[in-house]
């Protein structure tokens, strides 16, 4: 299944922005890209031109609608969205309770998309343990842990490696976000993680002011600053992710190397 989830034991790692930019990079590689937002903050939509007044989302109808393709929201970039949506506390709690009881339902409702060659579904998860994280395990998703090059991320790494966060038996991939080589601690932690994680490390994304500037201008990093370090890093990540997708491997399609 071409389902890729991005999660982290802690918040503030830039996961939603990274998910959005990775979606643009995968789209540039020729994939059909769908992004689904499991975070109640409902912020992922802002990266694709949907404003604060846009209330559409999948959570309010997730139980009743068995084929979530009916809930897709298009964007100007061609990337399709399943925003969390504006919901009441009662709707949010009902969704989380349903998902806890039926973690297999996500794979079932996304099934036609997950089994479509060249279609990639990116899931942006809330920080910490959640019903959606358990659903990713049930769906046999490619699970990616997003870390920062800082001491806080080092402190949560044993939880991920030991299976306390994503669950026993899960072997995640990793992305180190916002690496700042100008700062000794950031550089040292990035080097340590690279040595510690080995091949499951998909890559690093350098700290680059072009990323928030692109968001402020409602553009992707590739439109706003195509020659930036961040654009290069995210393109490299997209190619690494593309090579992991099982349906592409079964069809003999591999993203070209840089």
């Amino acid at each position: 299944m071409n389902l890729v989830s991005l999660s982290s034991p802690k918040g503030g790692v830039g996961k939603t922005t990274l998910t959005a930019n990775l979606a643009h990079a995968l789209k540039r590689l020729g994939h059909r890209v769908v992004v689904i937002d499991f975070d109640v903050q409902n912020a992922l939509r802002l990266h694709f031109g949907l404003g604060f007044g846009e209330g559409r989302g999948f959570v309010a109808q997730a139980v009743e609608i068995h084929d979530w393709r009916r809930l897709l929201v298009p964007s100007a970039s061609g990337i399709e969205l399943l925003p969390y949506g504006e919901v009441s506390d009662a709707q949010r709690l009902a969704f989380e309770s349903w998902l806890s009881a039926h973690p297999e339902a996500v794979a079932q409702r996304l099934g036609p998309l997950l089994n479509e060659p060249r279609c990639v579904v990116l899931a942006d998860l809330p920080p910490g343990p959640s019903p959606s994280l358990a659903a990713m395990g049930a769906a046999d998703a490619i699970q990616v842990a997003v870390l920062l090059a800082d001491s806080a991320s080092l402190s949560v790494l044993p939880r991920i490696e030991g299976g306390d966060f994503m669950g026993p038996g899960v072997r995640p991939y990793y992305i180190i976000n916002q690496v700042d080589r100008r700062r000794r601690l950031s550089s040292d932690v990035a080097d340590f993680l690279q040595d510690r994680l080995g091949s499951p490390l998909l890559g690093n994304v350098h700290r680059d002011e072009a990323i928030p500037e692109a968001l402020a201008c409602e553009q992707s990093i590739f439109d706003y600053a195509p020659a930036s370090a961040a654009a290069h890093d995210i393109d490299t990540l997209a190619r690494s992710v593309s090579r992991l997708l099982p349906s592409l491997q079964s069809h003999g399609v591999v993203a070209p190397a840089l």
Side-chain angles (χ1 to χ4, degrees):
M1 290 186 179
N2 294 335
L3 176 61
V4 182
S5 68
L6 284 83
S7 63
S8 178
K10 61 184 291 293
V13 299
K15 176 176 49 59
T16 296
T17 300
L18 181 59
T19 301
N21 282 307
L22 186 57
H24 284 291
L26 287 166
K27 179 71 175 174
R28 281 163 43 89
L29 292 178
H31 298 288
R32 178 186 181 186
V33 182
V34 174
V35 291
I36 180 168
D37 189 357
F38 283 99
D39 195 329
V40 68
Q41 295 182 71
N42 194 28
L44 188 59
R45 75 195 196 283
L46 303 176
H47 293 265
F48 298 97
L50 303 184
F52 286 101
E54 175 59 70
R56 284 179 293 174
F58 79 99
V59 168
Q61 304 177 74
V63 179
E64 292 79 13
I65 302 296
H66 290 265
D67 185 346
W68 286 355
R69 289 178 300 178
R70 294 171 54 188
L71 303 174
L72 287 170
V73 177
S75 73
S77 66
I79 295 167
E80 299 164 277
L81 315 176
L82 284 167
Y84 192 94
E86 297 294 337
V87 299
S88 65
D89 286 343
Q91 288 174 313
R92 174 182 59 80
L93 291 172
F95 172 71
E96 292 176 355
S97 177
W98 170 77
L99 195 54
S100 293
H102 305 282
E104 76 287 348
V106 169
Q108 293 169 355
R109 282 159 167 72
L110 292 174
L113 293 170
L114 298 179
N115 292 301
E116 178 184 321
R118 297 213 68 89
C119 179
V120 186
V121 179
L122 293 181
D124 181 28
L125 307 188
S130 67
S132 56
L133 183 60
M136 295 301 108
D140 197 25
I142 296 168
Q143 298 197 54
V144 180
V146 181
L147 304 174
L148 295 181
D150 64 5
S151 56
S153 288
L154 284 181
S155 70
V156 300
L157 183 59
R159 288 188 58 204
I160 303 173
E161 293 180 321
D164 295 334
F165 175 54
M166 292 180 175
V170 176
R171 300 182 65 182
Y173 294 90
Y174 297 86
I175 295 173
I176 307 174
N177 199 24
Q178 300 179 14
V179 175
D180 189 345
R181 290 291 181 182
R182 298 168 300 179
R183 298 184 179 275
R184 175 75 177 271
L185 177 62
S186 180
S187 184
D188 287 350
V189 171
D191 291 340
F192 172 82
L193 288 173
Q194 186 164 340
D195 291 340
R196 170 74 170 263
L197 299 175
S199 59
L201 177 62
L202 298 178
N204 302 336
V205 179
H206 287 87
R207 185 176 183 87
D208 193 330
E209 290 305 312
I211 289 181
E213 290 169 2
L215 175 58
C217 294
E218 297 186 343
Q219 296 181 24
S220 77
I221 187 65
F222 302 101
D223 292 326
Y224 181 79
S228 63
H232 176 271
D233 293 340
I234 294 166
D235 179 75
T236 300
L237 285 175
R239 294 172 188 274
S240 297
V241 169
S242 188
R243 294 188 188 97
L244 298 175
L245 301 175
S247 77
L248 297 196
Q249 293 173 7
S250 65
H251 286 77
V253 181
V254 180
L258 285 173

